[in-house]
Amino acid sequence: MLRILRLIYHSERLPLHVKSTILLIYKIYKKYRYNVKVRYNFPWNANGAELLIGHPLFLDRDNFAYYAQFYSQFYIPSNKDIVGNYQYKVEMYRAKFLTKDSEVCIYFNKDSLLPISMPRGNLDNENSNDIFLELECNQDITYLRNFIQNRFHHMYFHKGDSIRLKSNKDLIVGESIPLNGNLHRKKMVLVIFIDAFSASLLKRASLEDIAPNTYNFFKKGVIFNNCFSNSEYTLTSLSSMNTGKYPHKNNFFHPRERQILTNNGKILSQRFQESGYFTQLISGNPGQNPDRGYCKGYDRVVYQNELSSKDIIYELSDSMRIFKNRDVFNWISLFDIHHELALIPGFSADASMKVSGHDYYSERAENPSIKTPFMKFSKNKTERYLAEIARLDHHMQTLYNSIEQDYSDKDFLVALVSDHGQSFCGNPEKSEPLLRQEKINVPMMLRGADGFSNIVTDEYIENVDLVPTLLSFSGIKFNDKEIDGVLPKSLGGNGKEGVFSESIYPGQTYKASIKDKKFHCFIESEKIVQDDGVIDLSSYNFWVEDVKSGNRVDDLTIYDLYLKKISTLLKKSNILIKV
């Protein structure tokens, strides 16, 4: 019932009094079903009915699967309490499940790390010396007693070691991870993903003023002023950044259903892993759910819902102590500026704001169902947002310094990207479409692209271009016909004349746009996107705007040209588009 009401409510043609009635019903329902709005994030499954600690994800024919275990925590909240959803910090490896008393033998042809865990169903650690792991290494037997459960133990073995494992309890034994191997053009590739970083702000104030440490690091590389996301919110935008394909080709769009990202091709982590890199994801982003495929291609995952940037930067630094002699691909996801994670900004941000920034007037307090992309301009929200960006930038200096100290410029490749902007940073004088500048203009900065440095460019690029850019400068071959991204002209590629963005959200009308230096065209369906992703474009609204003036264009030649461009793009799709 709730889903039906939600779909009806978000119909843009619905009369206001009907929406008000639905909202009243929703409030009454919420009052008596207090948990109706609870969001279930990993390590819970989609409907919150099952905790996925110790459960196999994406089991393959060789009986390997991805397993999550608790990580870096002493206190484990009750699995009956969904509020604990935000307290679970997990570590994941691709591993095999071994029943008690069974044996496994492993030979190491390189110095390696072996993750081993002893899963226990009731989550609590049992303190008993009768629980043990029998480890025979090169014919020497050791008994590891009172083995701590539900956490991965990381065991170091040397080249030539031969081991046998056995336990009186079930085990999860990961794939061995070699600690040496520098065979690639780049020793360290890092993606810094900052959720909801609006580059449109940089039209009003310089990056050097807003985020000086970030500017000083990336000014030695390439800064793109006109990068655009391919969608307006994390789920569809982040998926395109990982696949290099437009959202309508990924079949990964539903915010309330478990769709698997990798069902329609490889993601970036898989390409790096297959090329021999150690791959690692450290994330606090709810939109990067491992259960929806984001663990695939990663040798190691550290995940906690809304994990803070300081913890993520620490975890990255800590892990690189171990993998310093191995070519690595790291992806870190920072969630701090998306919204106030602790209701108000962090200390230094809170203390540096104007007094007006402490006005927390909220559209959502009056309309609980309003989605973030539809919120109006807010001067006070923008004030807090800028303060949080400055705070994050201050703490990022530690990361930037460590990269420069540990690697030479020719050995690393670092990209800073985002998935969407913020609607509350919009133009207060103008009501604009959903796929407007404030929502889709995002940063893309690159350092370590050989032969390209000290460049600031106005070239139009889009987030799908991240995949071919990273692969090209890492020396990894790929089929450019399989993706929509291209190498920008500023980096020696062919580039593209315009950028494409779209909004695929069940219960909303479908929206898409093409933007270039002269014109910005928009198309919007009259019918809503169906729950299965079907897009009906048999009737639609279409218009073209002049980029400089913002006025609509009446020239039919231009109108027909851009309608043809957008129609051509939508012909190749993995979801049904009716025209």
Side-chain angles (χ1 to χ4, degrees):
M1 176 183 174
L2 189 61
R3 177 179 293 181
I4 296 172
L5 286 175
R6 186 185 292 116
L7 291 174
I8 296 173
Y9 180 86
H10 286 296
S11 172
E12 295 189 0
R13 295 180 174 274
L14 199 67
L16 184 60
H17 71 276
V18 178
K19 284 195 172 188
S20 298
T21 303
I22 292 175
L23 191 58
L24 178 62
I25 294 172
Y26 175 81
K27 287 180 177 179
I28 294 172
Y29 186 71
K30 182 183 175 184
K31 180 179 180 180
Y32 292 101
R33 291 286 299 277
Y34 65 92
N35 62 341
V36 66
K37 283 204 70 178
V38 167
R39 294 180 60 186
Y40 296 94
N41 296 300
F42 194 80
W44 295 90
N45 70 346
N47 62 13
E50 185 178 22
L51 191 63
L52 298 176
I53 298 294
H55 288 239
L57 298 178
F58 309 112
L59 186 68
D60 63 22
R61 293 178 180 178
D62 297 323
N63 290 322
F64 275 96
Y66 291 89
Y67 287 91
Q69 295 285 267
F70 297 124
Y71 175 68
S72 190
Q73 286 180 310
F74 174 75
Y75 168 72
I76 303 301
S78 167
N79 64 342
K80 301 294 184 183
D81 181 9
I82 196 61
V83 176
N85 178 13
Y86 287 84
Q87 301 176 50
Y88 289 111
K89 188 175 184 181
V90 300
E91 183 180 29
M92 299 183 72
Y93 292 97
R94 188 168 178 266
K96 272 187 176 181
F97 185 88
L98 299 176
T99 56
K100 67 177 183 177
D101 297 325
S102 60
E103 294 186 356
V104 60
C105 296
I106 303 171
Y107 175 78
F108 298 93
N109 54 20
K110 291 183 178 181
D111 288 1
S112 300
L113 201 68
L114 185 67
I116 302 173
S117 181
M118 186 177 287
R120 188 165 186 264
N122 67 358
L123 307 185
D124 294 327
N125 183 71
E126 183 180 349
N127 187 23
S128 171
N129 290 327
D130 292 331
I131 297 174
F132 65 88
L133 173 68
E134 181 183 324
L135 170 62
E136 180 180 347
C137 181
N138 303 329
Q139 299 183 343
D140 289 332
I141 297 178
T142 301
Y143 289 91
L144 305 176
R145 296 169 297 175
N146 200 7
F147 203 74
I148 306 301
Q149 303 113 54
N150 294 320
R151 292 155 179 82
F152 280 108
H153 299 247
H154 308 92
M155 299 190 183
Y156 183 99
F157 294 98
H158 293 92
K159 178 181 178 180
D161 281 348
S162 180
I163 68 168
R164 178 183 60 83
L165 295 173
K166 183 180 179 181
S167 175
N168 59 351
K169 299 290 182 180
D170 295 338
L171 292 176
I172 295 173
V173 180
E175 290 183 303
S176 62
I177 302 172
L179 296 175
N180 300 292
N182 294 319
L183 306 173
H184 305 89
R185 185 186 302 176
K186 296 296 180 182
K187 293 182 180 179
M188 196 276 288
V189 182
L190 171 64
V191 177
I192 303 170
F193 169 60
I194 303 177
D195 197 305
F197 194 162
S198 182
S200 65
L201 286 171
L202 305 180
K203 310 295 183 186
R204 307 175 215 168
S206 70
L207 177 65
E208 186 174 8
D209 291 334
I210 295 175
N213 295 309
T214 298
Y215 171 76
N216 288 329
F217 181 81
F218 285 102
K219 73 178 182 180
K220 300 174 185 177
V222 183
I223 297 175
F224 292 93
N225 290 331
N226 287 311
C227 179
F228 294 86
S229 65
N230 300 109
S231 190
E232 86 288 8
Y233 85 118
T234 302
L235 187 71
T236 43
S237 182
L238 182 58
S239 63
S240 285
M241 295 167 68
N242 277 268
T243 64
K245 300 178 183 179
Y246 294 133
H248 63 267
K249 295 183 180 180
N250 287 327
N251 196 22
F252 190 81
F253 60 87
H254 207 300
R256 297 175 297 276
E257 302 291 341
R258 184 179 182 251
Q259 296 172 317
I260 308 303
L261 177 60
T262 52
N263 283 353
N264 287 290
K266 296 177 183 177
I267 59 176
L268 196 55
S269 56
Q270 291 174 312
R271 294 179 185 273
F272 273 92
Q273 187 183 61
E274 289 172 2
S275 297
Y277 277 82
F278 167 74
T279 53
Q280 179 174 234
L281 171 66
I282 307 174
S283 176
N285 196 306
Q288 209 165 15
N289 191 326
D291 190 34
R292 299 187 75 169
Y294 276 107
C295 61
K296 289 191 174 184
Y298 284 108
D299 295 305
R300 181 177 186 246
V301 174
V302 175
Y303 183 90
Q304 182 179 14
N305 187 30
E306 299 189 358
L307 185 64
S308 71
S309 60
K310 66 177 183 291
D311 290 326
I312 289 173
I313 293 170
Y314 172 85
E315 287 293 345
L316 177 63
S317 175
D318 192 50
S319 67
M320 293 310 294
R321 291 183 61 217
I322 302 301
F323 297 105
K324 60 186 176 182
N325 295 320
R326 175 83 188 271
D327 290 347
V328 296
F329 169 77
N330 285 307
W331 181 300
I332 61 173
S333 294
L334 310 179
F335 203 55
D336 300 56
I337 69 170
H338 185 276
H339 62 277
E340 291 90 8
L341 301 184
L343 297 182
I344 64 173
F347 174 74
S348 64
D350 197 51
S352 62
M353 293 190 307
K354 296 177 182 177
V355 173
S356 59
H358 297 272
D359 179 358
Y360 285 84
Y361 169 83
S362 171
E363 288 181 74
R364 193 164 279 164
E366 297 182 359
N367 181 3
S369 297
I370 191 170
K371 301 295 183 183
T372 302
F374 297 96
M375 289 183 175
K376 299 176 183 177
F377 169 79
S378 170
K379 182 180 178 181
N380 300 332
K381 271 182 172 287
T382 302
E383 171 76 17
R384 295 193 293 272
Y385 181 63
L386 287 170
E388 284 285 27
I389 291 175
R391 177 174 177 261
L392 175 61
D393 176 72
H394 173 79
H395 294 292
M396 290 288 285
Q397 185 176 11
T398 303
L399 174 60
Y400 298 142
N401 288 344
S402 68
I403 293 171
E404 292 180 324
Q405 290 169 7
D406 295 341
Y407 298 93
S408 63
D409 274 23
K410 67 180 180 64
D411 289 332
F412 71 79
L413 180 64
V414 181
L416 187 149
V417 292
S418 186
D419 53 344
H420 59 81
Q422 293 282 22
S423 59
F424 57 73
C425 295
N427 186 340
E429 306 298 327
K430 185 177 179 182
S431 175
E432 299 179 89
L434 177 64
L435 299 175
R436 58 195 183 276
Q437 177 106 354
E438 285 74 17
K439 281 300 296 179
I440 62 174
N441 188 194
V442 293
M444 185 180 288
M445 307 177 204
L446 192 71
R447 184 167 167 191
D450 297 332
F452 300 91
S453 58
N454 304 307
I455 297 172
V456 178
T457 174
D458 291 329
E459 179 184 359
Y460 273 53
I461 66 169
E462 51 190 350
N463 274 347
V464 289
D465 299 335
L466 177 68
V467 169
T469 297
L470 293 182
L471 295 178
S472 295
F473 287 100
S474 300
I476 298 175
K477 294 181 179 180
F478 62 97
N479 183 354
D480 59 3
K481 304 298 182 185
E482 296 177 348
I483 59 176
D484 296 306
V486 302
L487 189 66
K489 288 182 181 179
S490 302
L491 297 173
N494 296 323
K496 56 186 66 169
E497 295 302 319
V499 295
F500 174 75
S501 300
E502 62 185 329
S503 173
I504 307 174
Y505 197 101
Q508 299 281 354
T509 55
Y510 173 77
K511 306 166 186 72
S513 75
I514 290 179
K515 182 180 175 68
D516 57 32
K517 292 183 178 180
K518 292 183 178 180
F519 301 104
H520 197 174
C521 75
F522 301 87
I523 190 170
E524 181 173 1
S525 65
E526 292 194 349
K527 297 180 180 179
I528 65 172
V529 177
Q530 298 301 305
D531 215 42
D532 57 2
V534 171
I535 298 169
D536 191 337
L537 280 173
S538 57
S539 57
Y540 57 84
N541 295 304
F542 180 81
W543 69 98
V544 182
E545 294 180 359
D546 182 276
V547 169
K548 288 185 178 179
S549 68
N551 297 327
R552 291 202 178 191
V553 176
D554 296 326
D555 188 319
L556 289 179
T557 303
I558 295 174
Y559 181 97
D560 290 341
L561 173 64
Y562 280 84
L563 182 58
K564 183 178 180 180
K565 284 184 177 183
I566 210 162
S567 299
T568 302
L569 273 173
L570 294 176
K571 281 182 179 179
K572 296 181 179 180
S573 175
N574 282 325
I575 55 180
L576 181 61
I577 300 179
K578 299 178 181 179
V579 294

